[in-house]
Amino acid sequence: MAFGITRTELSVWKERVKRGELAYLTHYWLDDRFPGIKTVTKVGCSDLQRLTEWCAAHGLNPKYIHHRPPFPHFDLMGPKQQQILAEAGLHNHLERFNLL
């Protein structure tokens, strides 16, 4: 279950993904399969080559890309999520979702 984002934020993320940009969307998320994880960042891009290269550049296995047209994405959680958000300069995500 996702919560903590607005329709506008979701719409902007979707439009950027469709354009082939790398787009980051962080939201609160609860899933019993991942105890202790309260947020996820979806890194989306419709350009699968670009998304695959992004995964490789961050030491992430591209086999975990969710191939869900028209919004393919990779789910970031835990310490790697914090690291990548910081590297991308998305400090507002870190602050807003208490990831610091």
Side-chain angles (χ1 to χ4, degrees), residues 21-39:
E21 298 175 32
L22 284 169
Y24 295 77
L25 180 70
T26 301
H27 59 80
Y28 288 111
W29 178 70
L30 298 175
D31 189 316
D32 292 338
R33 296 173 298 166
F34 302 96
I37 300 294
K38 294 183 170 73
T39 63

Side-chain angles (χ1 to χ4, degrees), residues 9-28:
E9 289 169 317
L10 180 59
S11 294
V12 168
W13 181 82
K14 286 179 173 182
E15 286 304 314
R16 291 187 68 206
V17 170
K18 284 182 191 177
R19 287 195 303 261
E21 298 175 32
L22 284 169
Y24 295 77
L25 180 70
T26 301
H27 59 80
Y28 288 111

Side-chain angles (χ1 to χ4, degrees), residues 10 12-13 26 31 45 60-61 73 83 94 96:
L10 180 59
V12 168
W13 181 82
T26 301
D31 189 316
C45 185
L60 302 168
N61 189 337
H73 64 277
Q83 174 193 342
L94 294 167
R96 178 176 172 192

Side-chain angles (χ1 to χ4, degrees), residues 25-96:
L25 180 70
T26 301
H27 59 80
Y28 288 111
W29 178 70
L30 298 175
D31 189 316
D32 292 338
R33 296 173 298 166
F34 302 96
I37 300 294
K38 294 183 170 73
T39 63
V40 64
T41 298
K42 295 189 175 300
V43 181
C45 185
S46 61
D47 180 339
L48 289 175
Q49 181 63 36
R50 185 173 185 188
L51 187 56
T52 298
E53 290 170 1
W54 177 89
C55 287
H58 290 89
L60 302 168
N61 189 337
K63 88 173 196 177
Y64 295 108
I65 292 173
H66 295 274
H67 295 274
R68 296 189 182 142
F71 308 111
H73 64 277
F74 188 95
D75 289 335
L76 289 173
M77 297 174 264
K80 198 69 167 174
Q81 175 189 22
Q82 294 167 311
Q83 174 193 342
I84 291 173
L85 288 173
E87 289 172 2
L90 296 170
H91 301 287
N92 57 331
H93 288 235
L94 294 167
E95 292 170 5
R96 178 176 172 192

